[in-house]
Amino acid sequence: AQSVSQHNHHVILSEAASLELGCNYSYGGTVNLFWYVQYPGQHLQLLLKYFSGDPLVKGIKGFEAEFIKSKFSFNLRKPSVQWSDTAEYFCALAGSGNTGKLIFGQGTTLQVKP
Amino acid sequence: DGGITQSPKYLFRKEGQNVTLSCEQNLNHDAMYWYRQDPGQGLRLIYYSQIVNDFQKGDIAEGYSVSREKKESFPLTVTSAQKNPTAFYLCASSSQGVGGYTFGSGTRLTVV
């Protein structure tokens, strides 16, 4: 069965601190991986995605993620967070069978203190 | 502007009543999805549809029903059989083979 696990449920950082949110997945085949962000009161937005090629993926707003196949991981990073990064972050895995289904992790709430 | 419209934003219903949540997209996307979001549980797939007049159950379909009579529309009915219907419901669409979704702004359903 496919699954996505986000280990950090609630993270609190001060501005300018570095961020790393963990994401591990369980799937035996070729993976497509995504990070979404949900700012307070807003739509879910795509931060970045990995399909193939360079395992270091850069997204919007200075975020990046690294796909490490041997560790089944796709951690999200940002060198210096801002108060405006306060949001909920979701890691997701594209399902098999070309249905386009996304399987989401539990989400991580990030709170950045000014 | 292209996008997904969910309505209403907030919905209150009495226990035992069926309620239908609207989802409309003008992106010309083939696939549409309904997710339920609960705190600490992420997003869980209720139903999805890849083409008109066809849909499949997701992981938590019990107590829900859908229809896909038009490409643009994918309404979700929360029936009285759903044991815990109070939640935030998100609709999404995607273009086949591209990956990644466009999400609506959601409907918060409260059953009292």
Short mmCIF file of all heavy atoms in Angstrom, two decimals, chain A residues 25 39 47 51 53 63 69 76 103 107:
data_model
loop_
_atom_site.label_atom_id
_atom_site.label_comp_id
_atom_site.label_asym_id
_atom_site.label_seq_id
_atom_site.Cartn_x
_atom_site.Cartn_y
_atom_site.Cartn_z
N TYR A 25 7.91 8.20 2.35
CA TYR A 25 6.82 7.57 1.63
C TYR A 25 7.05 6.07 1.53
O TYR A 25 8.17 5.57 1.71
CB TYR A 25 6.68 8.16 0.23
CG TYR A 25 7.86 7.89 -0.67
CD1 TYR A 25 7.90 6.76 -1.47
CD2 TYR A 25 8.95 8.75 -0.68
CE1 TYR A 25 8.99 6.50 -2.28
CE2 TYR A 25 10.05 8.50 -1.48
CZ TYR A 25 10.06 7.37 -2.28
OH TYR A 25 11.15 7.10 -3.06
N TYR A 39 -1.69 28.41 3.31
CA TYR A 39 -1.61 29.58 4.17
C TYR A 39 -2.97 29.82 4.83
O TYR A 39 -4.00 29.43 4.28
CB TYR A 39 -1.17 30.82 3.38
CG TYR A 39 0.20 30.67 2.77
CD1 TYR A 39 0.36 30.43 1.41
CD2 TYR A 39 1.34 30.76 3.56
CE1 TYR A 39 1.63 30.27 0.86
CE2 TYR A 39 2.61 30.60 3.02
CZ TYR A 39 2.74 30.35 1.67
OH TYR A 39 3.98 30.20 1.13
N LEU A 47 3.93 23.95 -3.96
CA LEU A 47 5.23 24.55 -3.68
C LEU A 47 6.27 24.05 -4.67
O LEU A 47 7.05 24.83 -5.21
CB LEU A 47 5.71 24.16 -2.28
CG LEU A 47 5.42 25.07 -1.10
CD1 LEU A 47 6.03 24.47 0.16
CD2 LEU A 47 5.95 26.47 -1.34
N PHE A 51 9.37 14.79 -10.48
CA PHE A 51 8.94 13.71 -11.36
C PHE A 51 10.11 12.80 -11.71
O PHE A 51 10.02 11.58 -11.63
CB PHE A 51 8.32 14.27 -12.65
CG PHE A 51 6.92 14.79 -12.48
CD1 PHE A 51 6.29 14.80 -11.26
CD2 PHE A 51 6.22 15.30 -13.57
CE1 PHE A 51 5.00 15.28 -11.09
CE2 PHE A 51 4.93 15.78 -13.44
CZ PHE A 51 4.32 15.78 -12.21
N GLY A 53 14.76 13.09 -12.83
CA GLY A 53 15.91 13.95 -13.07
C GLY A 53 16.58 14.39 -11.79
O GLY A 53 16.70 13.61 -10.84
N PHE A 63 11.81 27.74 -1.36
CA PHE A 63 11.77 26.38 -0.86
C PHE A 63 12.46 25.42 -1.83
O PHE A 63 12.48 25.65 -3.03
CB PHE A 63 10.32 25.92 -0.65
CG PHE A 63 9.66 26.53 0.54
CD1 PHE A 63 8.93 27.70 0.43
CD2 PHE A 63 9.76 25.93 1.79
CE1 PHE A 63 8.32 28.28 1.54
CE2 PHE A 63 9.15 26.48 2.90
CZ PHE A 63 8.43 27.66 2.78
N LYS A 69 16.14 8.49 -2.89
CA LYS A 69 15.44 7.24 -3.18
C LYS A 69 15.76 6.16 -2.15
O LYS A 69 14.88 5.41 -1.73
CB LYS A 69 15.82 6.76 -4.58
CG LYS A 69 15.00 5.60 -5.09
CD LYS A 69 15.36 5.27 -6.53
CE LYS A 69 14.52 4.12 -7.05
NZ LYS A 69 14.83 3.81 -8.46
N LEU A 76 11.51 18.77 2.83
CA LEU A 76 11.37 20.16 2.39
C LEU A 76 12.32 21.03 3.20
O LEU A 76 12.40 20.88 4.43
CB LEU A 76 9.94 20.64 2.59
CG LEU A 76 9.61 22.07 2.16
CD1 LEU A 76 9.62 22.18 0.63
CD2 LEU A 76 8.25 22.49 2.71
N ILE A 103 -1.85 10.94 -2.71
CA ILE A 103 -1.93 10.47 -1.33
C ILE A 103 -1.15 11.45 -0.47
O ILE A 103 0.03 11.69 -0.72
CB ILE A 103 -1.34 9.06 -1.22
CG1 ILE A 103 -2.16 8.11 -2.09
CG2 ILE A 103 -1.34 8.58 0.24
CD1 ILE A 103 -1.45 6.82 -2.40
N GLY A 107 0.30 16.29 7.30
CA GLY A 107 0.48 17.73 7.36
C GLY A 107 1.38 18.15 8.52
O GLY A 107 1.42 17.49 9.56
#
